[in-house]
Structure formats: structure tokens, C-alpha cells
Amino acid sequence: TSFRRKTWTGITAEGKKCHLSRVPCHTPLEASFAAFLDSAPDVVRYMKNEFFGFSVTYYENNRPRQYYPDFIVVVKGAGGGETWWLAETKGEIRPNTPVKREAANLWCERMTAARRGTWRHLFAPQRRFEKAIAANVKTFADLIGALAAGTEPQLKLLGLDDPRIAREKFKTLLP
């Protein structure tokens, strides 16, 4: 088999548990996530999905699109079994992000149902991930819990009876 050499000129992270000794990263968030994976004792191995082209098909406006998860991570559970994770780090939430998440969750459910291992999807928004790291989260299992605990909405709709509405209703934005 012949291998083509790939050159990466962007950010890299050291890959102790990765298939590559230098992990190609698009953002500092991805590099931080790779460093976390290398240090987490329950992570067996991981792959940065940069040059492999693994994708999950989803549909947007009735047109097929491809979602490329950032990482594929193998985690050893408390009972000794391994779980495969499609992991996505996200700094900017875009309109199609929920559709991609649904497609990844469905793909994982179907792979698990087809007995192709146990698959899960991890969505790691930047602020929640950074908050978990600042709280000294050490294991992948603890990261999952920390990310799930921070699921409060970023926006909250106010009812017309909210006192802030009454207080602000006659203010103008003009100078």
C-alpha cells in the first residue's frame, strides 16, 4: 500500500493516544480537546477526522449534505467495555448545527442497533468545554456529565408580564 504524505500548516497538538503524532487542528478549541483526550485516563485512543473523510449524511432543504465529525474517540467504560464516540467541538453555533447533531445521534443509534459496537455522539460547545476544563474535569465520563449539566438555554424569551419589559418599553435606540 502506498501512503500519500499530508502536510498541515495550521495548529497542531501532540497526539499521545491519536493515530498521528501531531494532531491537525483548525482551532485552538480542537487542540485543547485533543490535549484533554490525551490526558483522560478512560480514553483508549482517538482519531482526528481530518484526512480520512468519514462523514454522516444529513439533509438540509431536501438536499444531501455531509457532516464531518471532528474526532472519533474510543472510551473504556467502568465495566471494561468500549464505547465509540463521534465528538464535535463547536465554537460557533450555526443554523444547521442542530440538524447535524440529530443526524449524528441517529447514525450512532443505528450503528449500535446493527451491533457495530456501542456508538454515541458528544457535542462540546466551547464555553461549556472550557468551563469543564476549568473545573478540573479529568475523565471523558466526567466531561460528558459536565457538558450535560450545562444545558441551560443561552437565550430566554421573556413574557409580556415580565417587569423588565414594562421598564424598557418606552426607551428608544436613537441618540
Side-chain angles (χ1 to χ4, degrees), residues 13-32:
E14 185 178 359
K16 296 175 187 170
K17 295 181 182 178
C18 186
H19 66 292
L20 300 170
S21 60
R22 300 300 295 168
V23 183
C25 301
H26 290 277
T27 64
L29 172 61
E30 288 183 359
S32 178

Side-chain angles (χ1 to χ4, degrees), residues 3-44:
F3 293 98
R4 283 188 2 196
R5 181 183 172 110
K6 300 285 185 179
T7 303
W8 184 259
T9 58
I11 301 167
T12 60
E14 185 178 359
K16 296 175 187 170
K17 295 181 182 178
C18 186
H19 66 292
L20 300 170
S21 60
R22 300 300 295 168
V23 183
C25 301
H26 290 277
T27 64
L29 172 61
E30 288 183 359
S32 178
F33 191 76
F36 170 78
L37 295 176
D38 280 329
S39 68
D42 53 348
V43 171
V44 178

Side-chain angles (χ1 to χ4, degrees), residues 46-111:
Y46 69 94
M47 179 181 89
K48 178 67 170 82
N49 188 30
E50 188 56 45
F51 301 122
F52 288 92
F54 168 76
S55 66
V56 174
T57 302
Y58 70 100
Y59 290 86
E60 188 175 2
N61 298 323
N62 291 326
R63 296 185 67 196
R65 302 278 187 216
Q66 299 303 309
Y67 158 56
Y68 297 87
D70 293 333
F71 296 88
I72 300 168
V73 185
V74 180
V75 178
K76 186 170 289 283
E82 291 183 347
T83 302
W84 293 72
W85 289 83
L86 299 182
E88 180 71 18
T89 58
K90 206 60 157 167
E92 178 185 351
I93 307 298
R94 296 184 178 168
N96 65 354
T97 299
V99 178
K100 291 179 180 181
R101 288 177 67 184
E102 286 179 34
N105 286 328
L106 180 61
W107 187 91
C108 289
E109 287 173 19
R110 289 183 176 173
M111 289 300 288

